[in-house]
Amino acid sequence: MLNDTIEKIDRFASEREWDQFHSPKNLATSISIEANELLEIFQWADLSRSEITENADKFREISEEIADVMIYCLRLCSTLKMEPISIINKKIELNKEKYPINKSMGSSLKSNKL
């Protein structure tokens, strides 16, 4: 399913001849821009989970921004020949080392402060 989605994203870009614009820098920039558009939704409101899930318009708005971030992330992985699930799993293993349960449980501290 993920590979089908990546192929769909790549085809979408290719059909529009956007490959020329999708350099690693441009894609990374786009990820940041879209992430900030997601953050903008929360700028002046500390919305709870239920306030989001029970409000169809807010839920849609947030899901569309998350989708934009993910599309650019998957596009960057594709252009760099990275396998998203593999790099996520590797990062989780690194995080297990950085944040051992006995030191990090219930704490929001960065790993160097634990």
Side-chain angles (χ1 to χ4, degrees), residues 47-60 62:
L47 301 170
S48 69
R49 287 182 186 100
S50 62
E51 287 174 312
I52 295 166
T53 58
E54 294 170 10
N55 180 322
D57 289 336
K58 192 58 65 181
F59 187 86
R60 178 196 46 74
I62 291 169

Side-chain angles (χ1 to χ4, degrees), residues 32-113:
S32 180
I33 291 167
E34 294 300 339
N36 280 291
E37 289 180 12
L38 173 61
L39 190 56
E40 185 178 30
I41 296 167
F42 297 94
Q43 184 174 12
W44 304 115
D46 190 7
L47 301 170
S48 69
R49 287 182 186 100
S50 62
E51 287 174 312
I52 295 166
T53 58
E54 294 170 10
N55 180 322
D57 289 336
K58 192 58 65 181
F59 187 86
R60 178 196 46 74
E61 180 183 18
I62 291 169
S63 67
E64 287 178 5
E65 295 304 336
I66 291 171
D68 286 340
V69 171
M70 294 176 72
I71 287 167
Y72 279 120
C73 286
L74 292 174
R75 181 71 175 137
L76 181 57
C77 283
S78 178
T79 63
L80 296 177
K81 308 294 187 232
M82 292 180 178
E83 207 290 307
I85 299 302
S86 175
I87 64 174
I88 290 168
N89 287 331
K90 286 177 186 173
K91 183 60 176 177
I92 290 170
E93 291 305 313
L94 288 172
N95 285 344
K96 284 182 182 180
E97 293 175 23
K98 287 174 62 174
Y99 297 95
I101 293 171
N102 63 330
K103 290 184 178 181
S104 62
M105 185 177 292
S107 174
S108 63
L109 294 174
K110 292 282 289 178
S111 63
N112 62 346
K113 303 283 187 199

